[in-house]
Amino acid sequence: MTAYDHLDLVNPELVVIPCGSRKLDRAARAADLYIGSYHRACRGAAEALRPDRLLILSARYGLLDLDDVVEPYDTPHGTTDSVTPRLVLEQATLRGIVHLDPVVALGGARHVRLVRSVWPHALTPLAGTRGMGEQMARLAALRKGPVN
């Protein structure tokens, strides 16, 4: 069994996906703001998992619901202007979602570290992939549904 065919991936309480560097050039709902192929692939895989809740982890704003309207920005994860684990924990606490389980984190290493700062038990189906090509392939497999 691999990380992405674990039964807990089906209908998790929460899936957290990364933002993306490609964005619209105007304020928009978080669901519409991110237009890059990697974000869209993560979103498609997340939706296929049928989570109770889906959030975007923005490098600038932290946890975003799909309907949150935000301005575009140019802040990568891990830079001095990006969100910190402390801020993400505060946001999760205010939303009352700190104790959710199972939680799935789709994204790269920086994204996963931030998610795991709040949910250390988060499942990470992209772990162990080597490069963007493998991640995109795994995301495509998740869109088709976890293997039982």
Side-chain angles (χ1 to χ4, degrees), residues 5-6 16 36-37 39 42 53 61 65 71 73 81-82 85 88 93 102-103 111 113 116-117 122:
D5 58 20
H6 193 279
V16 183
S37 60
H39 170 81
C42 287
R53 188 160 188 181
Y61 299 110
D65 283 307
E71 294 284 336
Y73 57 93
D81 293 337
S82 64
V88 177
T93 301
V103 173
H111 172 79
R113 273 194 301 275
R116 284 206 161 150
S117 71

Side-chain angles (χ1 to χ4, degrees), residues 3-148:
Y4 64 93
D5 58 20
H6 193 279
L7 292 176
D8 284 345
L9 291 179
V10 178
N11 194 236
E13 288 198 63
L14 174 64
V15 175
V16 183
I17 62 173
C19 57
S21 59
R22 291 195 55 224
K23 300 170 194 66
L24 296 174
D25 61 359
R26 59 180 166 71
R29 291 174 53 240
D32 303 319
L33 181 68
Y34 305 101
I35 57 174
S37 60
Y38 186 73
H39 170 81
R40 293 291 176 194
C42 287
R43 172 106 176 259
E47 289 171 347
L49 297 175
R50 300 181 315 274
D52 294 340
R53 188 160 188 181
L54 172 60
L55 295 175
I56 297 170
L57 179 52
S58 160
R60 165 73 55 88
Y61 299 110
L63 296 171
L64 296 173
D65 283 307
L66 298 180
D67 288 329
D68 290 340
V69 175
V70 293
E71 294 284 336
Y73 57 93
D74 187 23
T75 306
H77 282 293
T79 62
T80 55
D81 293 337
S82 64
V83 296
T84 62
R86 181 178 177 167
L87 176 65
V88 177
L89 176 59
E90 288 171 8
Q91 290 175 330
T93 301
L94 288 172
R95 291 171 184 257
I97 59 174
V98 172
H99 300 292
L100 294 182
D101 190 27
V103 173
V104 176
L106 296 177
R110 286 184 180 146
H111 172 79
V112 166
R113 273 194 301 275
L114 272 172
V115 172
R116 284 206 161 150
S117 71
V118 177
W119 298 280
H121 59 281
L123 301 170
T124 57
L126 300 182
T129 55
R130 291 171 290 174
M132 188 62 66
E134 281 189 23
Q135 286 190 17
M136 293 296 275
R138 192 162 295 174
L139 289 166
L142 284 170
R143 272 193 311 276
K144 292 177 184 173
V147 178
N148 293 327

